[in-house]
Amino acid sequence: MTTADNNGPKPAANPPAFLVGSRPSFLEVVASHSSFKDRHAEQEKQEQPETESSLPEVNPLMGSTTRLEQFAKWSMAATLVSIFCTAWIAWSIYELHDFALRQAKSVSDSIEVSRYAILAANRRAEATEKNYDLAAETSRNQLRAYVSVLGISTQNAFEKNMASSLNYKNVGQTPALGLKTLVDAVIIPSAGSDIKPPRAYSASYNADSEPTVALGGGIAASDPITRTFKEAELEEFRAGTKLYLVWGAIYYSDVFGKNHYTRFCRYFKNGELSRWLLCQTGNDSN
């Protein structure tokens, strides 16, 4: 059995390029030599620093200055924008403040106008109420009872039992309710012109237990005055040295619940019983 002879020369693992394929040129043979490659690499390394050293050196401060300039420009721009915004905000605040002042003045004027309107309305209401009260009072005064004294008549003149009668009348349109008369008579000395009753009756009368009457509108009535006099008093009255005086009060209320009074004082002199005169005081009513 024939076997391959492996003991012969073996080819190199990495044969030079000029040994592979066709015949290489002299330059290729030289270039493929390892020593030539090493020298070529060293030359490139030596040439490379020279190339790098030939470039201009970059100053780091210049880059920082550029960045600072850019930052300053942006800062100035931001400052200008901030100033503009601040000015706009200030102007807006001023406008808002001015608008608020105008609104406040407008509201104040409106409130003042409303206040005057309310005052005017209140005055009109008060005037209307006063007119209503005046009209109601006028109506009540027109309809209420008025009791007036018509006169005094005398019977049995110059006798011991001489008596007089008080004549009065309700001249109003409605009845006089709870009517009560108080009358008295006396012979007094004639002393000057200031004739007044011996005592005055009050403006009110509170005697609920005593009987009273009602006097309709336009109705007249009379109450007798019974008084016993001495003959000497009657002679002095006849001679004119004394006066015959009748006074009193009439109390009543109207249909509207208001109390009234009529006080009177009349006197006769010189023995004339047909002509009576008014006293200086004691004649009033409400």
Side-chain angles (χ1 to χ4, degrees):
M1 180 174 181
T2 304
T3 59
D5 190 3
N6 295 328
N7 295 323
K10 296 180 181 181
N14 294 315
F18 63 88
L19 295 180
V20 180
S22 61
R23 179 180 293 179
S25 64
F26 174 76
L27 293 176
E28 290 176 349
V29 172
V30 174
S32 63
H33 197 271
S34 60
S35 61
F36 180 79
K37 290 181 179 181
D38 294 337
R39 287 195 300 270
H40 182 69
E42 290 177 359
Q43 290 178 359
E44 288 181 352
K45 288 181 180 180
Q46 291 176 358
E47 291 176 357
Q48 185 69 25
E50 292 179 358
T51 305
E52 292 178 357
S53 61
S54 63
L55 294 175
E57 294 183 357
V58 178
N59 190 356
L61 295 177
M62 184 178 296
S64 300
T65 303
T66 303
R67 287 192 296 272
L68 288 174
E69 288 179 354
Q70 293 177 353
F71 178 75
K73 290 179 180 179
W74 281 106
S75 298
M76 290 177 64
T79 303
L80 291 175
V81 172
S82 177
I83 292 172
F84 174 77
C85 292
T86 303
W88 181 80
I89 291 172
W91 179 80
S92 300
I93 292 174
Y94 174 78
E95 288 294 322
L96 288 175
H97 181 263
D98 187 61
F99 176 75
L101 289 178
R102 291 196 301 270
Q103 288 294 104
K105 187 176 184 304
S106 177
V107 171
S108 178
D109 293 341
S110 300
I111 293 174
E112 193 69 14
V113 171
S114 300
R115 188 175 70 86
Y116 282 120
I118 292 172
L119 291 176
N122 289 337
R123 285 194 293 268
R124 287 195 296 269
E126 290 176 359
T128 302
E129 185 177 359
K130 288 181 180 179
N131 290 334
Y132 172 78
D133 293 340
L134 181 61
E137 185 67 21
T138 302
S139 178
R140 287 193 294 267
N141 290 336
Q142 291 176 349
L143 297 175
R144 56 156 283 197
Y146 287 93
V147 178
S148 300
V149 175
L150 299 178
I152 297 173
S153 58
T154 304
Q155 300 83 28
N156 303 324
F158 304 110
E159 296 182 4
K160 291 182 179 181
N161 59 347
M162 183 177 67
S164 298
S165 297
L166 173 66
N167 304 317
Y168 54 91
K169 181 180 181 180
N170 179 8
V171 296
Q173 301 182 30
T174 55
L177 306 176
L179 188 141
K180 179 66 178 179
T181 59
L182 299 177
V183 189
D184 202 353
V186 67
I187 295 177
I188 60 174
S190 177
S193 60
D194 186 14
I195 309 301
K196 59 184 179 180
R199 60 184 178 86
Y201 286 95
S202 66
S204 61
Y205 182 74
N206 297 319
D208 297 335
S209 61
E210 296 185 10
T212 58
V213 296
L215 185 64
I219 304 300
S222 63
D223 288 341
I225 307 170
T226 303
R227 184 70 180 270
T228 302
F229 298 100
K230 298 178 181 180
E231 292 183 0
E233 292 176 332
L234 295 174
E235 289 297 328
E236 289 173 340
F237 168 61
R238 188 196 300 268
T241 58
K242 288 190 176 182
L243 305 176
Y244 177 49
L245 187 143
V246 179
W247 85 101
I250 304 173
Y251 301 98
Y252 62 97
S253 61
D254 57 28
V255 294
F256 305 104
K258 188 174 181 180
N259 296 326
H260 302 279
Y261 65 89
T262 300
R263 292 184 290 198
F264 58 91
C265 180
R266 309 287 192 271
Y267 69 94
F268 303 87
K269 68 178 182 178
N270 299 326
E272 296 182 8
L273 294 173
S274 60
R275 182 172 176 268
W276 52 264
L277 302 172
L278 289 174
C279 302
Q280 277 66 36
T281 60
N283 295 284
D284 62 339
S285 63
N286 69 339

